[in-house]
Amino acid sequence: MTLHPGSGDPHRFGTEAFYAALGRAFVAMCAVVPFLFLIEAVDQGLEFGLDATAGIIPKRIDGLDGVFFSPFLHHGFDHLYSNSIPLILLGTFVLAAGARRFLWSTLIIILVSGLGVWFTGSPNSVVVGASGVIFGYLGILLTRGIFERSWWNFAVFLLVGLLYGWQLVGILPTDERISWQGHLFGLLGGVVAAILFRRRRPVVGGSDYTGSTLSLP
C-alpha cells in the first residue's frame, strides 16, 4: 500500500483523516443541540424564568453573568429551532480543525460577543441565544480561509453565506427584537479567535509558514 504525503493530516482536504475528523465533529455537534433543547424544556416546564435571571442585561452588574449563560438560553423553541441547523453546520467545520482550538475559540467568541452586548445594548433588554456564537463561527471560517489559505474553510463560508446569507443582515440594527450587537461582536470574536489560534504551516527546511502567539493543535 502506498501512503501519500499528508494522507494522515486531518487538516488536509480529501484525506481519510480529514473526513474522519469531520464525522466525529458532526456527531459531537449533533449532541450539543439536544442539550440546548433539554435546557429550554426544563426552563419552560418548571417555569424557572432563566431568560430573565441568566440572560445578558446590558449595563447592569446583575446582568453581567449572562455573558456566560446566555448562549445556552433561548426565547422559546422557535428561537432555538432557527439556531440549531446553522450551529450544527458551522460548529462541525470549526470543531473538525481540533477540539482545543474549538473550545478556546468558542470561549473567545462568547466573551467578545457577550461583553459587546453588555457594553452597547439597551439596559431595558434581556439578550439570550446562540446567535453570537454562530456568527463567531462564520468569522472563524472566513478568517481561516484567508490567513491559513484554507480554501475549503473559505468554500464552507461561501456555502453557508448562500444558504443563510439573509441572516448576515443581523449585524445591522434592522430589527429591535434582534441583538445585532451580539451578531456583530460575535463575528469580530470569531475573527480574533481565528487569528490567535491560527495553525502553523510547515514549509521546506522545517521553518513555519506563519507564526502564532497561541498555536493549538
Side-chain angles (χ1 to χ4, degrees), residues 8 53 74 78 82 92 107 145 180 190 204:
T53 59
H74 290 81
D78 288 343
S82 67
T92 293
L107 178 60
W180 63 270
V204 177

Side-chain angles (χ1 to χ4, degrees), residues 73-163:
L73 306 173
H74 290 81
H75 289 304
F77 286 108
D78 288 343
H79 185 201
L80 181 51
Y81 280 129
S82 67
N83 281 338
S84 296
I85 294 179
L87 182 63
I88 291 175
L89 180 62
L90 294 170
T92 293
F93 285 98
V94 175
L95 177 55
R100 291 179 63 192
R101 294 176 78 190
F102 173 81
L103 292 174
W104 279 106
S105 296
T106 302
L107 178 60
I108 292 292
I109 292 169
I110 288 175
L111 285 173
V112 174
S113 176
L115 290 175
V117 169
W118 191 83
F119 278 110
T120 64
S122 169
N124 298 320
S125 64
V126 178
V127 180
V128 296
S131 300
V133 174
I134 291 171
F135 274 82
Y137 291 161
L138 269 176
I140 285 178
L141 293 176
L142 173 62
T143 308
R144 282 181 182 172
I146 297 173
F147 279 82
E148 297 182 12
R149 296 184 181 178
S150 176
W151 300 116
W152 73 266
N153 269 299
F154 194 70
V156 171
F157 171 82
L158 292 179
L159 173 62
V160 173
L162 291 174
L163 294 175

